[in-house]
Amino acid sequence: MVMMMMMMKMMSGHCDQQRALTCTVKPALYLNMGERPCDAAQSGVCVVDVTLPFGKTADIEEITFQNDYTASVTVRLLRRRPGHEAPAQWCTALRDLSLMDNPHSEGGSQDYYSIHRSQMRAEPDNVASVRLILKQPSSAWLSFSLKNIEMFPHTEPEPEKEVCDWLSDLTLDDHLTQPQDVPDPHTVSSSLQQMWALTEVMQSDQTTASVGRFDVDGCYDVDLISLT
Amino acid sequence: MNEGNDLSLTIARIVQRLKGSHLHSQIERQAKECLHQPEIKLESLKEDVRSFLKTSGWERKLQNAVYRELHVQLPLSHPIAPAEHLKEPLAYMRKAQASWEKRVLKSLNSMSSELGVPLARMRPAAEQKEITNKWNEMGTDEPDLSRFRPVYAPKDFLEVLISLQNPNYDSSEAVSSRSHWGLIHSPLNVRDIPQLRRSFSELNLTTGQLGIDDHAHIHPDLFESDYVQIGKKVVEDQDSAAAQQYSRRGCPTGLRADLWALILNSTNQPQDVMHYEQLKAGVIQHDLLVDKLIYKDVKLTASNDDYYFVFEDFLYQVFLCFSRDTAVLEHFKYNSATPPKAYVQGKVDDEECAVVYPPNGVIPFHGFSMYVAPLCYLYNEPSKLYSVFREMYIRFFFRLHSISSSPSGIVSLCLQFERLIQTHLPQLFYHLRQIGAQPLRIAFKWMVRAFSGYLSTDQLLLLWDRILGYESLEIVAVLAAAVFAFRAENLMEVTSLASAEAVLADLSTLKVIPLIQIFLFATAI
């Protein structure tokens, strides 16, 4: 119906249709307390560095990953301003994003997440390296980390095409008075369009309902359930 | 920004699902026909058609259909999450479910080959005629089912749940002594009494309830009459969402059938009756091994029950049709279980010959028929009864026999039950554990059946009112804990598992709503 038609929208494609940035995810470094390695107590903090190839920087659109029992993550960026001699600077882009509502229980522990540039306090442009600081305060888990960390580059949106000057100079001619007994052509054409659209929808009616047959050409002789 | 995207995605999904449905074509037809009416003007076509649909009740039907879709839609999740993650996010639970399924299927395969009975075959013409004639009295049949045994019983499933272990969970002694009290070791997030009080606020001590305030010695003008009036209005308005909210305080007996059908958006239109007839044709044409399992289950459970034996014939009709309903396959998108696959005529290499066995993907277990039995009190027309049961299964009952991390899943319910008793009746828990009577071993069978067959029917229906109203099975875990709390004094005196079972053997005299209310709102915390 008309209502349904109005509600159909095309979804914008997701970032993973783009290619992820090539980067190296360094092995997670768990911070321990205590002097000797054998005495070290787990602090529940771990650092994962994701670096771009040497010398390269990128503008980041989104970082995606799958959680593996991390309770919260902080994102720090190493940004290098282009063309400047000054050394690259670290800044905090996102502090303590909670991944698990309750660090002691399973909620969110294996879910997929993405961090978009709009969630970051600092613009993730000209980034040479990203540092993810993972925290898991609960002692319930043997280990914690993030899996399948990927970063996607930011692309500038296309500038809106400008309408030619002479087109915008055209104005509706309001001076003509409408004859009283003829309906307003604008409303007639819009309602005609709607009726056309209605018939279009009815013709293109593709049902998602299944037919309900469970047999193959009338045959449903089964001897063994497949276990693979 | 994200919420806007999520909303658009949800709307697009629901539109896609409703497009081409019978409701869609009915609304279109109505819209076309209303164009003849004088009050529909060309200038304001859209608004006039819309207001016509509103006044004639079609907009409400659409609202109810959308509301139903919201109940069964996949949870919105990250675009890169694979389909298996939507069924069940935790890898170790997926693995446990897969290996449990494999065990069950192996058992079914070996039963078939040992007994020489094929899993499925076409009935010869004479047999088809016979079953058509006997359709309304299948209970009079006494086939020899002694060689058949149920594929599994709830206690087998309990052992699997007990052995569930998260490989990343530190279960060494030092971590938490609590993890060794109970049988369930999965660290799922379950709600405690303060949180439950907030969610189940309509059950509190100062709010009128059916099951308490409709008692014989309370004057109906104090609560019951007004409440029934409101119920009648809800049924008149035909509003699913209002019916669900209303059901939280119980449904009057005379209105319950209509209210439940409204909540589940279960209509009994000609196309539903036709669908049921199509399923019946499937039963007549093909004979399945699971049919024997169903027969056996009904004979062992419902037929032996004083409250339900009269409905034996109905139960066969509903279950045999249920097994052949491919519409049930849709719910596997959000169920951690997977429908079993088979090949017709043994053509294992030919994907064209791949089918689901049984056609609805659900293998019944011992006690399965008790999910339908109470509904027989509400609906006497088979197609309506069937339609309500199917909707209840794909919304709630499937969670009671599959391994998942859902808050309404059986694992969460078991954990919640144990935690509630550990927290609020620690002495009782300790005592029962000491005598080798872990509470869950007694309560599990109640929860797997949502108490069907253990409570008296009127009390069971009051409980199921709340399951529908709150759209959650947590109330089942709460009731189980409340029963233990109620019988705590007796339980403290027993010295063995057998005597603990005896104390809790007969629940048929219990009044469930007062028990739940006292446990949730009168327990000191």
Side-chain angles (χ1 to χ4, degrees), chain A residues 16 106 114 140 220-221 226, chain B residues 78 80 92 166 170 341 345 356:
Chain A
D16 59 8
E106 296 272 9
S114 50
Y220 193 71
D221 292 339
S226 170
Chain B
H78 200 277
I80 60 172
Y92 74 95
N166 180 342
D170 189 352
K341 192 171 171 189
Q345 294 175 332
V356 175

Side-chain angles (χ1 to χ4, degrees), chain B residues 70-88:
Chain B
L70 286 173
H71 282 290
V72 298
Q73 68 167 349
L74 284 172
L76 277 182
S77 67
H78 200 277
I80 60 172
E84 60 176 11
H85 192 262
L86 295 175
K87 286 158 70 78
E88 170 49 52

